[in-house]
Amino acid sequence: MKFNNILGHEKIKEYLLKSHDTDKLSHAYIFVGKEGIGKMTLAKEFAKIIHCEKGVGCGECHGCIRVEKDSHPDYKVIIPDGKSIKNKQIEDFQNQMAIKPYDSSKKLFIIEDAGSMTTSAQNRLLKVFEEPPEYGIVILVTDNLYKLLPTIRSRGQILNFTAIPKFIM
C-alpha cells in the first residue's frame, strides 16, 4: 500500500505520491543513486500504484499482480542487451509508447541501467522526451547521472537516492 514495504527514501516516496494523488505526473523521472539502493524496487512499486485498480499499489488486484509478474500490457522494463541499451531497443520502445494504453490510463516504461544507453539510443529517446504522449511515463534508472546526455537530464525529474541510515534498517 503506497510504498509501505520500502524502507527509507521518504522524500522521494512523498514526492511521487503527491504527483500521483494530484494527477500531476511527469512524463520522465530519473532515479539516480548507488547500485543496490532500491531504485528499481521503488520504480516497480510506483508502477503498481499507477496500474493498481484501487490506486494504492495494493499488491493484490489484477493490475498490481501483472506488474509484479512483468505481464501488464501497459508496463515494461527495458534492460541492456549485452553491455548497453541499443538504438533498436529504444526504437521498439518508441513504437510501443505510440500505442495508447490497453488496460490503464497510463503506460509506464522503466529503463534499467539507463546510463548504458548508446548515444544514438539516447538521441532517439530524446524524441519521446520532447513530445511525450499524455499517457506516457518513463523512469530512467542509473547510478551515474552524467552518463546521460544533458538534454535528457534537463527533461526529466531527477530524484537522487541516498543511503538509508542504519537506524532505519
Side-chain angles (χ1 to χ4, degrees), residues 8 29 34 47 58 64 70 80 82 97 99 115 134 149 155 169:
Y29 296 95
K34 286 193 240 179
C58 70
C64 287
D70 293 327
M97 183 62 91
I99 300 168
E134 64 184 35
L149 295 173
R155 287 171 174 79
M169 302 170 100

Side-chain angles (χ1 to χ4, degrees), residues 131-160:
E131 297 176 25
E134 64 184 35
Y135 52 80
I137 301 171
V138 181
I139 299 175
L140 304 180
V141 177
T142 185
D143 60 357
N144 186 343
L145 182 63
Y146 297 100
K147 288 183 180 178
L148 300 173
L149 295 173
T151 48
I152 297 280
R153 295 191 311 253
S154 70
R155 287 171 174 79
Q157 298 292 314
I158 299 170
L159 302 174
N160 289 300

Side-chain angles (χ1 to χ4, degrees), residues 12 32 49 63 65-66 74 78 80 98 112-113 121 123-124 135:
I12 293 171
V32 182
I49 291 169
I65 291 169
R66 292 195 306 171
D74 300 322
I78 300 167
E112 188 173 357
D113 194 12
N123 282 320
R124 182 175 286 280
Y135 52 80

Side-chain angles (χ1 to χ4, degrees), residues 32-61:
V32 182
K34 286 193 240 179
E35 188 175 329
I37 204 162
K39 301 179 303 289
M40 276 301 297
T41 302
L42 202 135
K44 191 166 195 169
E45 289 300 311
F46 189 49
K48 285 181 189 175
I49 291 169
I50 298 293
H51 294 303
C52 181
E53 293 165 9
K54 300 174 186 174
V56 295
C58 70
E60 299 170 0
C61 71

Side-chain angles (χ1 to χ4, degrees), residues 17-35:
L17 289 175
K18 184 176 180 184
S19 297
H20 175 263
D21 293 346
T22 59
D23 202 27
K24 293 184 179 177
L25 294 166
S26 175
H27 69 285
Y29 296 95
I30 304 172
F31 288 12
V32 182
K34 286 193 240 179
E35 188 175 329

